[in-house]
Amino acid sequence: MEQVGARKERGGAVIELENVAYNYGGGELLSSVSLKLAPGSFHFLTGPSGAGKTTLLKLCYGDLLPTAGDIRLFGRSLAEMDRNDVALLRRQMGVVHQDCRFLDHLDVAENVALPLIVSGRDVGAYAQNLDELLNWVGLTHRSHALPPELSGGERQRAALARAIILSPDVVVADEPTGNIDWEMSQRLLTLLVELNRMGKTIVVATHDLGLIRAAKALVQARVLRISNRRVQLAGADL
Amino acid sequence: MEQVGARKERGGAVIELENVAYNYGGGELLSSVSLKLAPGSFHFLTGPSGAGKTTLLKLCYGDLLPTAGDIRLFGRSLAEMDRNDVALLRRQMGVVHQDCRFLDHLDVAENVALPLIVSGRDVGAYAQNLDELLNWVGLTHRSHALPPELSGGERQRAALARAIILSPDVVVADEPTGNIDWEMSQRLLTLLVELNRMGKTIVVATHDLGLIRAAKALVQARVLRISNRRVQLAGADL
Amino acid sequence: MRALLSLPKSIWRRVTGAEAQSDRVVPPSGFTAQLTLFASAAMAFLAVFALALSLASGRLADRWEADLAAGATIRVVTPAGQQDAQVAAALRVLDTTAGVASARALTAEEHEALLAPWLGEGLDLSTLPAPRLIEIEETADGSFDPAGLRLRLAAEAPGAVLDDHRRWREPLTRAAGRLRSLGWIAMVLILATTGAMITLAANVALAANAQVISVLRLVGATDAYIARAFVRRFTLRAGLGALIGTLFGVAAILFLPSAGSSAGILTGLGFAGWHWFLPWLVPVLAAFVAFIATRASARRTLGGLT
Amino acid sequence: MRALLSLPKSIWRRVTGAEAQSDRVVPPSGFTAQLTLFASAAMAFLAVFALALSLASGRLADRWEADLAAGATIRVVTPAGQQDAQVAAALRVLDTTAGVASARALTAEEHEALLAPWLGEGLDLSTLPAPRLIEIEETADGSFDPAGLRLRLAAEAPGAVLDDHRRWREPLTRAAGRLRSLGWIAMVLILATTGAMITLAANVALAANAQVISVLRLVGATDAYIARAFVRRFTLRAGLGALIGTLFGVAAILFLPSAGSSAGILTGLGFAGWHWFLPWLVPVLAAFVAFIATRASARRTLGGLT
Ligand SMILES: Nc1ncnc2c1ncn2[C@@H]1O[C@H](COP(=O)(O)OP(=O)(O)OP(=O)(O)O)[C@@H](O)[C@H]1O
Ligand SMILES: Nc1ncnc2c1ncn2[C@@H]1O[C@H](COP(=O)(O)OP(=O)(O)OP(=O)(O)O)[C@@H](O)[C@H]1O
Ligand SMILES: [Mg+2]
Ligand SMILES: [Mg+2]
């Protein structure tokens, strides 16, 4: 029930965009974007502010529907899915939102455990997992704080922890290091690389070229750049 | 009426912390912090995530009251001020909040003009000013969008524009470049430097060491680092 | 108000098991909760009164109806010696009149009771040559013809005068009927208002929680899961509020000082027999209205948010 | 409901000049606005009815009071020849009785009218040796002593029987009084409910706008400025809603089909004379309550947020 058409075609792409276009009602923001993210690949997404990085990521996790073209997630076309399918799909995709949002009435630990709660899993069984994760992102001492009491960087780390608690097949992170110092971003990067080595597909939107350079030293990452409404593979200059 | 004890003592500090301590009810976050920011100075504030940069800035613009010690803004002690005084004080301090918040029912231009509106100024008289500012931060084409329709970087630029529209004496910016690409952060930096040359006092919290290095090439900036609950002047290693 | 609101809150926590994990994902939304509780309590309180009013005027109408069911009366005014004969003659005429179900001469006691308010009690009618009265009960279709009957009586019992009560009964029963329908209309209005109020409160809550909904969606909650949390909460709140309001309403009616028997409508403002069962339907109905209203509003909101 | 709500919205925009810069800083808060409008309209509607009920039962009580002001009656039951003499004797006794303001024998017509419902119209009383009635009007302090009067009458006019009306009047006037106070209590309850509802709605709005408030503070808005925007909005909304409710209530009372003269309370459910002025106080009061409630709630909220 939870595996929405999960990787039937082992060799196929996890996320596949075919001739996708998108606009928010005004001028075209993205047009004829075709992409194939293979399982286990590591991608960076860059481009100037307002180019459409967040938009493209939202298309990739089914939060927006393309105005033209087709998107296939785990081999299944988004156009064929209903809301329920998308909800189930989300359980296989960990998402770090750019303005990481939380439930402000639940504490950090509960927020991180939220994907377990809404998918009806027994949170108790994941307790150790949760503790380790919180420790990893350095939030153990803040685990009973409410989200509005977190610092900017703490929020981003909590959002990352929440995104990966279900051990999803795909991790999509939008500017995960915008508010984090260099040292902490190195740790997050290491975590993402580790996940990637476990076979997860990783997509990270960032404007932090330093992060990309650092990643390239650790993993075979492709860099996609949005410019002029197209997505291009960035050259070796990065 | 609007000049709350404005720089009576020309030689004095604009922002002065004396033996300030702060905690959010738990353990001490900052203790015995003493600082003097002279008019026209340019300061960076760094430190690891969760060290208290945002907290220190909030103390500096009167959003939080110190648990011990005294804070003087424009030569006047915060302890002596009531809410109304703080409100008037804010009109002389442009603040860029870390999670830049807007009024979601007003468009970008109106949000940027908000300080004019709440201080009862005639927005019409500032129209050209507003246009130039929007152009400067590259938001002219988005000026009629609602804040939730902005990209992360666009939000930060709008927040900066809002902070400086009243041409305040002090600009306090908390991670203003967290979501902005390198090129755009250079532009913001240039803008801040320009303001500083006009005599404004600038305080920027950031974890972006690149930004600090770039600034040092342009202006005589001091770098403050929070570590172990203290604020120290960072060495030449930066 | 504090006390009123803190009690339901603690009951509320138990009833809903607010600590249950799946319910915690929706924030407690303090003021909206209080608003819903308060609004449905107030409305239930009013509904109980309207219900009591309807039932009481129903009973009043029935009583007036019964009191005047005789439909018509015949007064036999003759010299004392002839009264019995003329009464008998009139009764014979009535026996063969279409539309008359039964006819009966009032006994002396009944007659006395009727006149007591005006002539004083302990009056001995036999000392007064007062008229004798015959009560006529019409058939259900009420189709007897007063004019024809008058003619026949004139011939056979000249001292008998037909007095048609319908001119008394009709306006009275009409008035009671109107009071009753006023009560029902008030009930319907109150329920509709409650429904509208709860729908609005649910909409306020849903609108205020747009961000909560988007977070829940982000982490893979289905719409059914999200809607359920809101619907359950509002249904229980509305039901609980209405229960409190009903309790207060019933208590108020119970302890309403009862007037003397002469104060018709007011004394009657209570429940009788199985009618005591009816006010308890108010919270059930309120919960049901809240359920429908919140579900519709949750579906609309969830459908509207991308 | 759509139509009901869109009309006030457009009026609202004009009344408030919602486009005015300083008002725009507070978001329109759609559902909370509708809730406030709707709740105060519903409450005003009910308040108008309660007011009408109070006034009508006040009038009813006055009428019953007047009808039975005679206080007591004396029935003179004697053989026909002695009646006039005994009536005169009784009147003489009454003349010298403390607590009796005036006394008067009913005329034949009055007597007839009194008995008509029971004995039929067109009755010639002179053919019946019916008792004569004397109406007694008490002095304002109502302190006459029935037992003493009975003794004196027994001596001077043995056929005269004192019939004290107070046993009729008291329960009736008490009932009307109770109906009137029920109306006033309902009024007060409704106003209190409206106040509570608007306070809650204002709290909901303020709580939902905590972020708006923090943004406004960040850019240097004073608390007075922020509070003003909320207070103005809620006061106008509550007043407007109540005005709409009052209009509907007054219209409903105007067009309530009036019953025959026999339906006492119901026919009376309307306003008379200067009472027409009273329902229009409802919106004023509602706006005032909203003003007080919102200001208190704004001050509390603003004081609470750091
Ligand atoms: N809901 C929306 N409605 C209308 N326009 C929108 C909406 N969301 C985003 N946009 C616009 O679309 C463009 C792309 O936005 P997007 O958030 O994808 O940019 P981005 O590449 O993520 O930028 P950043 O690096 O600043 O986060 C921006 O100009 C933005 O203003
Ligand atoms: N309202 C609050 N209540 C309790 N604790 C708080 C509150 N706000 C912040 N904190 C805690 O205080 C510490 C310092 O927070 P602050 O936001 O000042 O950090 P920061 O240096 O700005 O970090 P970052 O670089 O991540 O933004 C953090 O551990 C945070 O969790
Ligand atoms: Mg973005
Ligand atoms: Mg910070």
Side-chain angles (χ1 to χ4, degrees):
Chain A
M1 166 206 159
E2 238 123 45
Q3 300 282 106
V4 180
R7 285 152 301 162
K8 276 163 207 146
E9 340 146 50
R10 270 264 154 215
V14 179
I15 297 175
E16 199 173 348
L17 282 73
E18 215 179 288
N19 245 320
V20 164
Y22 192 80
N23 66 69
Y24 282 105
E28 200 104 293
L29 188 63
L30 297 168
S31 55
S32 355
V33 173
S34 294
L35 263 184
K36 272 193 182 188
L37 305 193
S41 62
F42 197 124
H43 284 86
F44 281 105
L45 186 61
T46 59
S49 172
K53 300 185 289 299
T54 301
T55 307
L56 186 60
L57 291 188
K58 283 184 176 170
L59 287 166
C60 288
Y61 59 83
D63 203 28
L64 295 174
L65 287 178
T67 44
D70 190 30
I71 295 181
R72 272 189 297 286
L73 303 177
F74 299 104
R76 238 182 111 185
S77 170
L78 253 188
E80 291 164 10
M81 297 193 207
D82 61 16
R83 268 175 200 286
N84 206 42
D85 293 332
V86 173
L88 298 179
L89 182 87
R90 291 276 169 81
R91 300 180 188 174
Q92 288 173 266
M93 304 187 90
V95 176
V96 181
H97 216 272
Q98 187 164 14
D99 37 318
C100 12
R101 292 194 187 138
F102 298 94
L103 298 187
D104 287 350
H105 62 292
L106 299 182
D107 69 24
V108 170
E110 286 171 311
N111 264 293
V112 170
L114 206 54
L116 300 172
I117 296 173
V118 304
S119 60
R121 267 165 246 232
D122 176 20
V123 178
Y126 284 77
Q128 207 198 327
N129 214 322
L130 182 61
D131 284 348
E132 272 170 25
L133 202 54
L134 284 174
N135 188 34
W136 214 100
V137 295
L139 286 178
T140 305
H141 68 295
R142 300 297 293 153
S143 69
H144 292 299
L146 296 178
E149 298 169 355
L150 294 186
S151 78
E154 287 165 348
R155 289 172 73 82
Q156 282 192 324
R157 289 178 269 150
L160 186 72
R162 183 179 66 187
I164 62 180
I165 187 145
L166 273 185
S167 185
D169 297 320
V170 179
V171 176
V172 175
D174 196 358
E175 297 296 0
T177 61
N179 286 308
I180 298 180
D181 49 296
W182 181 245
E183 200 186 324
M184 185 57 74
S185 20
Q186 289 309 302
R187 276 173 68 186
L188 289 195
L189 181 63
T190 320
L191 177 61
L192 289 173
V193 167
E194 241 172 62
L195 288 170
N196 182 244
R197 289 204 179 120
M198 287 162 64
K200 315 284 182 197
T201 314
I202 313 282
V203 188
V204 180
T206 185
H207 65 265
D208 187 347
L209 301 187
L211 187 73
I212 299 179
R213 276 188 218 105
K216 283 202 156 181
L218 297 170
V219 77
Q220 203 198 354
R222 286 208 297 174
V223 180
L224 304 170
R225 168 182 283 281
I226 304 184
S227 70
N228 286 325
R229 293 172 285 137
R230 305 285 176 131
V231 176
Q232 289 149 345
L233 208 60
D237 56 317
L238 269 171
Chain B
M1 165 206 157
E2 237 125 43
Q3 300 282 105
V4 180
R7 284 152 301 160
K8 278 164 206 146
E9 339 148 50
R10 271 263 154 215
V14 179
I15 298 176
E16 199 173 347
L17 281 73
E18 215 180 287
N19 246 321
V20 163
Y22 193 81
N23 66 68
Y24 283 105
E28 199 105 292
L29 188 62
L30 298 169
S31 55
S32 358
V33 173
S34 293
L35 263 185
K36 272 193 183 186
L37 305 194
S41 63
F42 197 123
H43 284 85
F44 280 104
L45 186 63
T46 59
S49 170
K53 299 184 290 297
T54 301
T55 307
L56 186 61
L57 292 188
K58 283 184 174 170
L59 288 166
C60 289
Y61 59 83
D63 203 27
L64 294 175
L65 286 178
T67 44
D70 189 30
I71 295 180
R72 271 190 298 285
L73 303 177
F74 298 104
R76 239 182 108 184
S77 169
L78 251 189
E80 292 165 9
M81 295 193 209
D82 62 13
R83 267 175 200 288
N84 207 41
D85 293 332
V86 173
L88 297 180
L89 182 88
R90 290 277 169 80
R91 300 180 188 175
Q92 289 174 266
M93 305 186 87
V95 176
V96 181
H97 216 272
Q98 188 164 14
D99 38 315
C100 12
R101 292 193 188 138
F102 298 94
L103 299 186
D104 287 350
H105 63 291
L106 299 183
D107 69 25
V108 171
E110 286 171 311
N111 265 292
V112 170
L114 207 54
L116 301 172
I117 295 173
V118 305
S119 60
R121 267 164 244 231
D122 175 21
V123 179
Y126 284 77
Q128 207 199 327
N129 214 321
L130 182 61
D131 283 348
E132 271 171 24
L133 202 54
L134 284 175
N135 187 34
W136 215 99
V137 295
L139 285 179
T140 305
H141 68 296
R142 300 296 293 151
S143 68
H144 293 298
L146 295 177
E149 298 169 355
L150 293 186
S151 79
E154 287 165 347
R155 289 173 74 83
Q156 282 191 324
R157 290 179 266 150
L160 186 73
R162 183 178 66 187
I164 61 179
I165 186 141
L166 273 185
S167 184
D169 298 319
V170 179
V171 176
V172 176
D174 196 358
E175 301 289 6
T177 59
N179 286 306
I180 298 180
D181 49 294
W182 182 244
E183 198 186 327
M184 185 58 72
S185 21
Q186 289 311 304
R187 276 173 67 187
L188 288 196
L189 181 63
T190 320
L191 178 60
L192 290 172
V193 168
E194 240 171 64
L195 288 170
N196 182 245
R197 290 201 178 122
M198 287 162 64
K200 316 284 181 196
T201 313
I202 314 279
V203 187
V204 180
T206 185
H207 67 264
D208 187 347
L209 303 187
L211 188 72
I212 299 179
R213 276 187 219 106
K216 285 202 156 182
L218 297 171
V219 77
Q220 202 196 355
R222 287 207 298 173
V223 179
L224 303 169
R225 168 181 285 280
I226 304 184
S227 68
N228 286 325
R229 292 172 286 137
R230 307 282 177 133
V231 176
Q232 290 150 345
L233 207 60
D237 56 317
L238 269 172
Chain C
M1 216 182 81
R2 272 275 174 88
L4 181 81
L5 286 167
S6 70
L7 176 69
K9 218 181 247 172
S10 72
I11 298 177
W12 164 239
R13 286 200 154 251
R14 283 198 211 149
V15 174
T16 58
E19 298 308 315
Q21 226 167 36
S22 61
D23 266 359
R24 293 204 61 203
V25 301
V26 172
S29 63
F31 287 122
T32 320
Q34 288 177 25
L35 188 66
T36 316
L37 264 176
F38 186 85
S40 50
M43 288 295 157
F45 185 82
L46 292 174
V48 168
F49 267 92
L51 184 68
L53 184 72
S54 293
L55 294 175
S57 33
R59 284 199 302 275
L60 195 70
D62 290 349
R63 208 165 67 208
W64 283 345
E65 187 89 28
D67 280 2
L68 296 163
T73 323
I74 287 175
R75 246 178 318 118
V76 183
V77 193
T78 53
Q82 291 174 31
Q83 275 196 341
D84 288 342
Q86 292 228 357
V87 166
L91 286 173
R92 268 196 310 279
V93 169
L94 291 169
D95 254 0
T96 57
T97 303
V100 172
S102 69
R104 180 180 76 82
L106 292 194
T107 64
E109 290 77 42
E110 287 171 327
H111 210 164
E112 218 164 282
L114 210 58
L115 290 176
W118 308 107
L119 302 179
E121 279 173 61
L123 186 79
D124 184 5
L125 268 186
S126 59
T127 66
L128 292 171
R132 292 281 302 276
L133 295 177
I134 298 170
E135 226 177 53
I136 299 173
E137 200 152 334
E138 294 175 51
T139 52
D141 56 357
S143 64
F144 97 103
D145 165 30
L149 183 59
R150 275 202 188 92
L151 283 176
R152 292 184 57 202
L153 284 173
E156 314 221 356
V161 179
L162 175 68
D163 198 4
D164 194 348
H165 277 194
R166 272 181 291 197
R167 71 193 158 115
W168 296 98
R169 181 181 56 181
E170 267 165 32
L172 278 176
T173 51
R174 223 187 308 132
R178 185 168 302 124
L179 206 55
R180 170 164 44 186
S181 42
L182 210 77
W184 289 118
I185 291 172
M187 279 283 292
V188 169
L189 269 182
I190 288 167
L191 267 184
T193 310
T194 312
M197 212 97 95
I198 292 174
T199 309
L200 283 173
N203 278 332
V204 169
L206 285 161
N209 285 313
Q211 184 157 329
V212 168
I213 293 172
S214 92
V215 170
L216 289 175
R217 283 214 172 129
L218 193 69
V219 298
T222 59
D223 281 7
Y225 180 93
I226 301 170
R228 208 157 44 221
F230 281 97
V231 170
R232 184 168 41 212
R233 194 164 279 199
F234 272 88
T235 304
L236 280 163
R237 253 178 222 164
L240 187 65
L243 185 66
I244 294 164
T246 304
L247 279 169
F248 275 86
V250 168
I253 283 178
L254 264 182
F255 297 117
L256 200 78
S258 70
S261 59
S262 40
I265 301 176
L266 274 190
T267 0
L269 197 66
F271 298 101
W274 68 274
H275 283 171
W276 276 110
F277 167 73
L278 287 178
W280 307 105
L281 287 181
V282 170
V284 177
L285 252 166
F288 182 70
V289 166
F291 177 77
I292 298 293
T294 316
R295 204 176 51 171
S297 128
R299 289 204 175 152
R300 195 156 23 81
T301 309
L302 290 173
L305 298 172
T306 334
Chain D
M1 217 180 79
R2 274 275 174 88
L4 182 79
L5 287 165
S6 69
L7 176 69
K9 218 181 247 171
S10 71
I11 298 177
W12 165 242
R13 286 202 153 248
R14 288 206 203 142
V15 174
T16 59
E19 298 310 313
Q21 227 167 34
S22 60
D23 266 359
R24 292 205 61 202
V25 301
V26 172
S29 64
F31 286 123
T32 320
Q34 288 176 26
L35 188 65
T36 316
L37 264 176
F38 186 84
S40 49
M43 289 296 157
F45 185 82
L46 292 174
V48 168
F49 267 94
L51 184 69
L53 185 71
S54 295
L55 295 175
S57 31
R59 284 198 301 273
L60 195 70
D62 291 349
R63 207 167 66 208
W64 282 345
E65 188 90 27
D67 280 359
L68 295 163
T73 322
I74 288 174
R75 246 178 317 117
V76 183
V77 192
T78 54
Q82 290 174 30
Q83 275 196 343
D84 287 342
Q86 293 227 355
V87 165
L91 286 174
R92 268 195 311 278
V93 169
L94 291 170
D95 255 1
T96 58
T97 304
V100 171
S102 69
R104 178 180 77 83
L106 290 194
T107 63
E109 290 78 42
E110 287 172 326
H111 210 163
E112 216 165 284
L114 209 58
L115 290 176
W118 309 108
L119 301 178
E121 278 173 62
L123 186 78
D124 185 4
L125 268 186
S126 59
T127 66
L128 292 172
R132 292 282 301 276
L133 296 177
I134 298 172
E135 227 178 49
I136 300 173
E137 201 152 333
E138 294 175 52
T139 52
D141 56 356
S143 64
F144 97 101
D145 164 29
L149 183 59
R150 273 202 189 94
L151 282 175
R152 292 184 57 200
L153 283 174
E156 315 223 355
V161 179
L162 176 68
D163 199 4
D164 193 351
H165 276 194
R166 272 180 292 200
R167 72 192 158 113
W168 296 100
R169 182 180 56 183
E170 269 166 30
L172 279 176
T173 51
R174 221 187 310 132
R178 184 169 302 123
L179 206 57
R180 170 162 45 185
S181 43
L182 210 78
W184 288 118
I185 291 172
M187 278 284 290
V188 169
L189 270 182
I190 288 167
L191 266 184
T193 309
T194 312
M197 211 97 95
I198 291 173
T199 309
L200 284 173
N203 278 332
V204 169
L206 284 161
N209 285 313
Q211 184 157 330
V212 168
I213 293 171
S214 91
V215 170
L216 288 175
R217 283 211 171 133
L218 193 70
V219 298
T222 60
D223 281 8
Y225 181 92
I226 301 170
R228 210 158 42 221
F230 281 96
V231 171
R232 184 168 39 213
R233 194 165 277 201
F234 273 88
T235 305
L236 280 163
R237 253 178 222 163
L240 187 66
L243 185 66
I244 294 166
T246 305
L247 279 169
F248 274 86
V250 168
I253 283 178
L254 264 180
F255 297 118
L256 201 76
S258 68
S261 59
S262 40
I265 302 176
L266 274 188
T267 359
L269 197 67
F271 298 100
W274 67 275
H275 283 172
W276 275 111
F277 167 73
L278 286 178
W280 306 105
L281 287 181
V282 169
V284 177
L285 253 165
F288 181 72
V289 166
F291 177 76
I292 299 292
T294 315
R295 205 177 48 173
S297 131
R299 288 203 174 153
R300 194 157 24 81
T301 308
L302 290 173
L305 297 172
T306 334

